[in-house]
Amino acid sequence: MCESVDVRYVHYMEHPDYPDTLAVGCICAEHMEDDYVRPKQRETGMRLIARRRKSWTRKKWRVSLLGNHFVNTEGFNLTVFERAEGFGISVARRGTIGIRLEGRTIRRVMARKPPH
């Protein structure tokens, strides 16, 4: 709104008397809401998500009893396993049955870089 600083974590603010959505930083969001707690909580949540996305590739992969590599993160179990024609992947919410992908799909999934 004031355009005096670069904003990394944007708070989108709307008001019924104003036609546009405003993209503002934490301090402006606090003033506009007249609430000095919720904008900081939202920004803390956004920072944690960004940190997790940036660091998830450095997580320690383990080997299961079946010899498959896996990692547990954010409530999910990601397992990579060898198939006759390459590799497969299983993604499951912890404690449930996973979704399996094989062949070219796994190469596309593994080639993706996490967002910055």
Side-chain angles (χ1 to χ4, degrees):
M1 196 167 128
C2 64
E3 298 177 4
S4 64
V5 296
D6 291 329
V7 177
R8 182 168 182 187
Y9 300 99
V10 179
H11 299 254
Y12 294 99
M13 308 297 290
E14 294 180 346
H15 191 278
D17 296 338
Y18 191 77
D20 298 324
T21 299
L22 296 173
V24 301
C26 188
I27 303 299
C28 288
E30 289 174 350
H31 292 296
M32 293 172 80
E33 283 186 55
D34 198 26
D35 183 342
Y36 299 93
V37 176
R38 285 188 356 197
K40 277 190 174 77
Q41 289 174 338
R42 281 196 308 268
E43 186 153 319
T44 299
M46 289 186 279
R47 287 178 186 271
L48 288 172
I49 289 168
R51 188 179 318 146
R52 276 191 231 131
R53 286 181 178 166
K54 186 176 181 180
S55 67
W56 89 271
T57 56
R58 294 190 299 267
K59 288 195 176 291
K60 182 168 173 31
W61 286 72
R62 297 183 289 171
V63 178
S64 72
L65 295 175
L66 298 174
N68 300 319
H69 288 82
F70 73 97
V71 65
N72 294 323
T73 183
E74 296 185 40
F76 288 91
N77 174 272
L78 174 68
T79 306
V80 177
F81 52 93
E82 207 164 341
R83 303 293 281 181
E85 300 155 0
F87 290 88
I89 187 170
S90 171
V91 180
R93 188 169 294 278
R94 300 284 303 267
T96 63
I97 297 174
I99 301 166
R100 292 181 182 260
L101 305 173
E102 298 180 16
R104 291 186 319 189
T105 306
I106 181 67
R107 284 190 280 279
R108 270 188 257 131
V109 170
M110 296 304 283
R112 289 186 188 158
K113 292 183 180 176
H116 297 291

